[in-house]
């Protein structure tokens, strides 16, 4: 390698090659026949279907242990503490403008960790630390702008910097970072989870190939998935079934999609099980209609209302009673 010649750092490709694919695309637009476009579209759809089927085949690897829902039902793991953590994660997601995927990943990390490890129950600080940690990890995975670990725990008004709400405990950054390492180790550093949001676009395109109502259907299905995170009954269902059920519920609200049903949904992709989609669909219908009597379900229905379409959530604008801030407890070992 020459000592004073930096030419080896230069790219050897012809600069004109950078525009090769653009030129090909432009020429294709003027020369391709309808048959060519149809053939290309079929190939792309086939490739997408194969990818979605592959995701379905691997989604169980990113789910909590199979006995986790029953342990929540039997209260071996406190379901109220989990519900409070999910509600806090969704509140911060709305306040900070995080992606819905970020909130889902945070809850996924939390559930997977809880299915593997038992946390101390005293005063609830460990569960709160886990929720903050999982949201921090999810934000690092998906967000381009991530608040500081302190700001993540304190919600303030953007108008006058007035404290709106804070977590019961305020953890030091080093405590959260140590907990992050524990969570990462427990999850084998597998944070790129398979989520319902990986399937929604594909499923919506199946029911609305012309794209007339695609944006609404995706948005509505997203609301329903966020709402379902409160309810432990949905932990029995895989992400693909949740996505299919959410899309079915969204289409069920529009007369033009009256013929869409779970039996047809199974044909959207290889790997979807009709019984799984059907049972998840019934649960989601009950959740959206408010027929599920659990408190968590009632909270979830509020998320599914039209108010969630507004960028300003009432949960972030109405100050709750002030809470006493405490110093960080000893870190989890």
């Amino acid at each position: 390698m020459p000592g004073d010649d930096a030419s080896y750092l230069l790219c050897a490709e012809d600069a004109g090659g950078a525009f090769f694919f653009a030129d090909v695309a432009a020429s294709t637009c003027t020369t391709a026949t309808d048959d060519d476009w149809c053939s290309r579209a079929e190939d792309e759809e086939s490739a997408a279907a194969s990818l979605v089927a592959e995701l379905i085949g691997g989604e169980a690897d990113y789910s909590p242990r199979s006995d986790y829902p029953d342990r929540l039902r039997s209260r071996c793991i406190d379901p109220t503490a989990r519900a409070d953590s999910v509600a806090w994660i969704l509140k911060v997601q709305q306040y900070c403008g995080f992606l819905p995927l970020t909130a889902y990943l945070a809850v996924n990390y939390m559930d997977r960790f809880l299915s593997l490890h038992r946390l101390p129950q005293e005063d609830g600080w460990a569960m709160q630390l886990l929720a903050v940690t999982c949201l921090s990890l999810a934000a690092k995975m998906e967000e381009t702008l991530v608040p500081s670990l302190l700001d993540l725990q304190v919600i303030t008004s953007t108008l006058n910097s007035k404290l709106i709400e804070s977590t019961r405990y305020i953890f030091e950054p080093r405590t959260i970072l140590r907990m992050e390492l524990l969570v990462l180790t427990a999850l084998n550093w597998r944070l790129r989870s398979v989520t319902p949001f990986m399937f929604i676009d594909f499923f919506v395109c199946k029911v609305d190939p012309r794209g007339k109502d695609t944006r609404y259907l995706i948005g509505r299905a997203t609301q329903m998935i966020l709402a379902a995170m409160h309810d432990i009954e949905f932990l029995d269902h895989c992400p693909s079934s949740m996505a299919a059920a959410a899309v079915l519920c969204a289409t069920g609200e529009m007369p033009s999609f009256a013929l869409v049903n779970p039996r047809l949904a199974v044909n959207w992709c290889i790997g979807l099980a009709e019984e799984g989609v059907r049972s998840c669909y019934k649960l989601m219908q009950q959740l959206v209609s408010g027929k599920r009597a659990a408190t968590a379900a009632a909270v979830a229905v509020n998320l599914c209302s039209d108010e969630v379409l507004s960028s300003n959530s009432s949960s972030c604008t109405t100050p709750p009673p002030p809470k006493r801030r405490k110093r960080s407890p000893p870190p989890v070992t």
Side-chain angles (χ1 to χ4, degrees):
M1 182 179 297
D4 57 352
D5 184 4
S7 61
Y8 64 90
L9 296 175
L10 300 177
C11 178
E13 294 178 343
D14 182 3
F19 304 98
F20 172 75
F21 292 105
D23 292 340
V24 170
S27 63
T28 304
C29 290
T30 58
T31 60
T33 64
D34 290 343
D35 290 341
D36 292 334
W37 279 114
C38 290
S39 177
R40 186 174 295 110
E42 290 176 358
D43 291 342
E44 291 178 353
E45 182 176 357
S46 177
S50 298
L51 177 59
V52 170
E54 185 177 347
L55 290 173
I56 292 176
E59 59 188 347
D61 296 335
Y62 299 91
S63 299
R65 283 175 42 172
S66 59
D67 63 342
Y68 177 62
D70 288 333
R71 289 163 62 196
L72 281 167
R73 295 186 188 102
S74 64
R75 306 191 70 84
C76 291
I77 301 174
D78 188 357
T80 303
R82 178 192 180 273
D84 291 343
S85 296
V86 173
W88 176 81
I89 288 171
L90 288 171
K91 184 175 292 187
V92 176
Q93 178 255 328
Q94 291 180 3
Y95 174 79
C96 295
F98 288 163
L99 298 169
L101 174 59
T102 301
Y104 186 93
L105 284 176
V107 175
N108 174 262
Y109 300 159
M110 182 178 69
D111 286 332
R112 288 163 62 191
F113 184 89
L114 289 173
S115 73
L116 297 170
H117 296 279
R118 183 182 296 273
L119 290 179
Q121 300 297 319
E122 297 83 5
D123 300 325
W125 65 266
M127 189 68 179
Q128 183 184 305
L129 174 59
L130 178 61
V132 173
T133 299
C134 291
L135 183 56
S136 172
L137 288 172
K140 291 175 182 177
M141 289 291 294
E142 298 299 330
E143 304 297 333
T144 55
L145 297 176
V146 180
S148 70
L149 293 176
L150 178 61
D151 290 340
L152 199 63
Q153 302 174 74
V154 180
I155 297 178
T156 57
S157 171
T158 56
L159 297 178
N160 54 18
S161 298
K162 180 180 178 181
L163 176 67
I164 292 179
E165 182 171 356
S166 69
T167 52
R168 184 181 178 188
Y169 300 95
I170 302 298
F171 299 101
E172 297 178 355
R174 62 181 180 179
T175 302
I176 299 174
L177 293 174
R178 288 188 63 183
M179 189 65 184
E180 285 185 0
L181 185 58
L182 288 176
V183 172
L184 288 168
T185 302
L187 303 185
N188 292 322
W189 294 75
R190 305 184 68 177
L191 301 187
R192 184 57 63 191
S193 302
V194 178
T195 74
F197 301 110
M198 294 180 174
F199 304 100
I200 288 181
D201 290 29
F202 181 80
F203 292 163
V204 167
C205 287
K206 288 292 185 178
V207 300
D208 184 31
R210 294 186 178 181
K212 180 180 178 182
D213 300 300
T214 295
R215 184 174 182 180
Y216 171 82
L217 293 174
I218 291 175
R220 189 62 175 156
T222 297
Q223 294 172 359
M224 295 176 186
I225 289 171
L226 291 179
M229 293 195 306
H230 286 272
D231 197 330
I232 62 175
E233 297 303 321
F234 285 94
L235 291 169
D236 288 320
H237 299 278
C238 57
S240 58
S241 292
M242 286 187 64
V247 172
L248 286 170
C249 282
T251 57
E253 297 174 348
M254 305 182 69
S256 56
F257 297 105
L259 298 179
V260 180
N261 58 64
R263 181 173 298 179
L264 293 177
V266 177
N267 298 322
W268 292 346
C269 184
I270 297 174
L272 284 176
E274 181 177 349
E275 183 58 36
V277 173
R278 188 181 298 277
S279 60
C280 189
Y281 176 48
K282 289 181 179 179
L283 272 178
M284 200 159 289
Q285 282 181 312
Q286 295 171 5
L287 190 68
V288 174
S289 64
K291 293 182 179 179
R292 293 189 60 78
T295 302
V299 175
V301 170
N302 289 335
L303 284 174
C304 278
S305 68
D306 291 338
E307 295 176 0
V308 80
L309 295 176
S310 172
S311 58
N312 296 321
S313 171
S314 60
S315 63
C316 293
T317 57
T318 304
K323 297 185 178 181
R324 183 162 57 96
R325 295 173 62 178
K326 300 185 178 182
R327 296 182 64 185
S328 295
V332 177
T333 57

